[in-house]
Amino acid sequence: MGIDKRRLLRNTGRAVAVTGALGVAGLTYASVIERNWFRLRRYELPLLPPGSPRLRVLHLSDAHLTPGRRMLIDWIRGLERYEPDLVVNTGDSLAHPDAVEPFIEALGPLLDRPGAFVYGSNDLFSPQLKNPARYLWRTSKTDYNKRRVPDLPWRELGAAMSASGWLDLNNRKGALKAGGLEVALGGVHDSHIKLDRYDDIAGPADPTADLRLGVLHSPEPANLDRFAADGYQLMLAGHTHGGQLCLPFYGTLVTNCGIDRRRAWGLHEYAGAWLHVSGGLGTSPYAPVRFCCRPEASLLDLVAGPEGA
């Protein structure tokens, strides 16, 4: 074998080794470091009537909790120190049949505060092993076409939150008092599994309320349009995981629903209202990685708008 050929083989071997090492390092970072690198996003939004006190809303979503995720449980529990006036959980809290008790433990003292919730598909149906690359060309909606009978304890989850006084907003309306303000709420079940029934809550939101809040798991435009048209000022959703695997300088690759990539997470204007999509706190146990998309909860400080607004 000639010298040039041996040099080429050595260089090729080195390139393969370096590429493999970078792949292992990236996977380790995404699964061990970033997946557990929780953050609290903070926003301020002038939505309340003039002269109103501040209303602090804590938005939780997509914990996908399994009993062994101690770091996540403790981090959620520690959010009480921010003293939210209202807590909203937009679903996909579970990823294991034994996760209800750990999730309620995670909420802990937050359950003593006014709250509301909807379900996501993964509160009813357990995660399954599948190729995550399929999300590049289709959503996971079709994965549920043959899954008719829920196998996760969603009723127990809902009962535990309802027992603390939280509003069940799955295709329901409700009202509560938080931070001295009257809040009107409407919510729908998860459109991803075709359980949303907006017609059940259709009609103008209470115009006398200090705040009108729409709650849903998956930010499907068909439902968002109706919430906005009915006068809900702020809509809270989850489901997207912010893309979960994002590219530097490009951002979210896919949203796994009808919302556009630009609004896969964060606070955005939408049809004359505001939409906040949480990037979520967890992942499926079969895809336990995040890249350029840290797990998060959000704290929205709602303040008084200007006179005449």
Side-chain angles (χ1 to χ4, degrees):
M1 183 181 295
I3 294 175
D4 288 342
K5 186 173 290 188
R6 285 198 297 270
R7 183 179 295 124
L8 175 62
L9 288 174
R10 283 198 302 270
N11 290 341
T12 301
R14 288 176 186 142
V16 170
V18 169
T19 301
L22 289 174
V24 170
L27 183 61
T28 300
Y29 166 79
S31 61
V32 176
I33 297 175
E34 186 162 323
R35 187 172 76 109
N36 295 298
W37 191 9
F38 311 111
R39 66 177 165 188
L40 182 69
R41 287 189 181 272
R42 305 186 72 159
Y43 302 91
E44 183 174 289
L45 193 58
L47 274 188
L48 303 178
S52 299
R54 181 193 65 184
L55 182 71
R56 180 166 284 181
V57 179
L58 177 63
H59 182 188
L60 306 174
S61 198
D62 297 275
H64 291 277
L65 193 65
T66 54
R69 294 212 63 196
R70 192 72 244 172
M71 290 177 66
L72 177 55
I73 292 169
D74 291 343
W75 191 84
I76 295 173
R77 193 176 180 89
L79 294 173
E80 165 65 17
R81 69 180 179 274
Y82 295 100
E83 300 183 342
D85 300 299
L86 174 63
V87 185
V88 179
N89 174 20
T90 51
D92 272 7
S93 303
L94 307 180
H96 191 279
D98 297 328
V100 172
E101 185 175 338
F103 185 70
I104 297 304
E105 178 193 351
L107 293 178
L110 293 171
L111 287 168
D112 295 330
R113 297 182 176 274
F117 67 93
V118 293
Y119 297 124
S121 58
N122 288 126
D123 293 318
L124 284 73
F125 297 98
S126 59
Q128 292 184 324
L129 182 62
K130 51 195 171 187
N131 178 9
R134 292 185 303 173
Y135 292 140
L136 293 174
W137 61 84
R138 67 172 181 84
T139 76
S140 59
K141 272 189 175 184
T142 55
D143 296 340
Y144 295 96
N145 288 344
K146 296 181 180 180
R147 302 185 73 183
R148 303 295 183 188
V149 180
D151 60 348
L152 288 180
W154 60 276
R155 289 188 180 88
E156 291 84 346
L157 172 67
M161 291 186 285
S162 296
S164 295
W166 284 21
L167 293 180
D168 180 344
L169 293 177
N170 290 285
N171 301 323
R172 295 178 182 176
K173 284 184 172 181
L176 51 75
K177 195 161 190 174
L181 300 175
E182 299 293 334
V183 183
L185 302 100
V188 291
H189 207 309
D190 190 7
S191 59
H192 210 61
I193 48 176
K194 302 176 182 178
L195 291 179
D196 55 320
R197 304 287 183 269
Y198 195 92
D199 285 346
D200 291 353
I201 66 165
D206 183 0
T208 67
D210 297 303
L211 175 67
R212 298 177 296 280
L213 193 62
V215 182
L216 65 169
H217 176 65
S218 180
E220 289 294 346
N223 284 323
L224 295 173
D225 291 344
R226 297 189 72 178
F227 274 115
D230 279 340
Y232 290 92
Q233 301 158 281
L234 174 62
M235 299 169 285
L236 302 180
H239 176 70
T240 66
H241 297 192
Q244 190 168 323
L245 299 176
C246 300
L247 295 181
F249 311 111
Y250 181 81
T252 300
L253 294 173
V254 294
T255 66
N256 195 25
C257 65
I259 199 70
D260 54 283
R261 288 191 312 104
R262 184 177 63 85
R263 291 183 281 201
W265 58 265
L267 185 66
H268 301 276
E269 289 188 80
Y270 188 99
W274 288 93
L275 168 66
H276 179 261
V277 179
S278 171
L281 286 162
T283 68
S284 165
Y286 294 115
V289 293
R290 279 181 175 261
F291 190 77
C292 293
C293 188
R294 287 170 59 188
E296 65 181 40
S298 297
L299 198 63
L300 295 95
D301 276 324
L302 308 185
V303 299
E307 295 284 349

